[in-house]
């Protein structure tokens, strides 16, 4: 059973700008992608696509032209992995995945083990998303800033 979550043009936490320095996250607009094997992955953004491919499952972060701005966006879809007997959500991060969270039952630890350091304090962030609810599906967008 596939559950669709369509993120358009940018995910909020990928598009932080600092007003004074005008810094942005690399590829926060999802315009740059690299083809690898049978899937595309957004440059400088981590997905579970390579892990899913090793289980023989389809990618759950897909390049789409249904963008709010620019030519490309990221479409996230929940994928069922028959070998594990479980669904794996479409997830993107600028951090590092804890793969065991997605491959063990019950999940172990946190889905994202670490993020990327920024050397400025964002004055604001913005982004666009589109969500298509399927059945009892839910969506979550999580943005975490820490001092450490």
């Amino acid at each position: 059973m596939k559950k669709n979550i369509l993120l358009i043009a940018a995910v909020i936490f990928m598009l932080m700008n600092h007003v004074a320095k005008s810094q942005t996250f690399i590829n926060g607009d999802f315009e740059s992608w690299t083809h690898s094997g049978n899937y595309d992955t957004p440059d400088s953004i981590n997905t579970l696509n390579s892990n899913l491919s090793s289980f023989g499952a389809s990618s759950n972060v897909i390049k789409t032209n249904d963008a709010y701005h620019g030519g490309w966006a990221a479409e996230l879809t929940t994928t069922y992995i028959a070998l594990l007997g479980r669904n794996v959500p479409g997830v993107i991060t600028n951090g590092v995945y804890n793969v065991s969270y997605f491959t063990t039952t019950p999940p172990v630890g946190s889905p994202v083990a670490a993020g990327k350091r920024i050397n400025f304090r964002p004055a604001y962030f913005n982004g666009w998303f589109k969500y298509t609810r399927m059945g009892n599906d839910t969506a979550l967008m999580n943005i975490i800033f820490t001092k450490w």
Side-chain angles (χ1 to χ4, degrees):
M1 177 162 86
K2 292 206 175 190
K3 301 169 187 175
N4 292 323
I5 299 173
L6 183 62
L7 295 182
I8 301 301
V11 173
I12 291 175
F13 67 89
M14 300 304 257
L15 287 179
M16 291 182 242
N17 296 309
H18 186 266
V19 175
K21 297 181 183 177
S22 193
Q23 294 181 357
T24 60
F25 281 100
I26 298 170
N27 199 29
D29 57 4
F30 296 102
E31 291 301 311
S32 300
W33 293 71
T34 299
H35 185 75
S36 179
N38 60 351
Y39 59 89
D40 292 324
T41 298
D43 294 344
S44 301
I45 298 169
N46 294 323
T47 72
L48 291 172
N49 286 348
S50 65
N51 302 91
L52 292 172
S53 180
S54 67
F55 283 108
S58 59
S59 301
N60 64 1
V61 176
I62 304 162
K63 182 179 178 181
T64 179
N65 62 0
D66 186 11
Y68 176 83
H69 180 275
W72 302 109
E75 179 178 341
L76 282 65
T77 307
T78 299
T79 301
Y80 181 75
I81 300 178
L83 184 63
L84 299 175
R86 68 181 287 185
N87 290 319
V88 175
V91 181
I92 56 174
T93 183
N94 70 348
V96 177
Y97 283 108
N98 174 5
V99 176
S100 65
Y101 179 85
F102 299 100
T103 58
T104 58
T105 304
V108 175
S110 173
V112 179
K116 294 208 174 148
R117 182 182 178 150
I118 57 174
N119 61 0
F120 60 94
R121 178 179 226 152
Y124 66 93
F125 55 85
N126 65 347
W128 299 267
F129 69 93
K130 184 190 299 183
Y131 172 59
T132 304
R133 183 179 172 154
M134 304 287 291
N136 292 327
D137 194 13
T138 60
L140 171 68
M141 187 175 297
N142 199 0
I143 303 164
I144 301 172
F145 293 102
T146 71
K147 185 176 178 178
W148 300 276

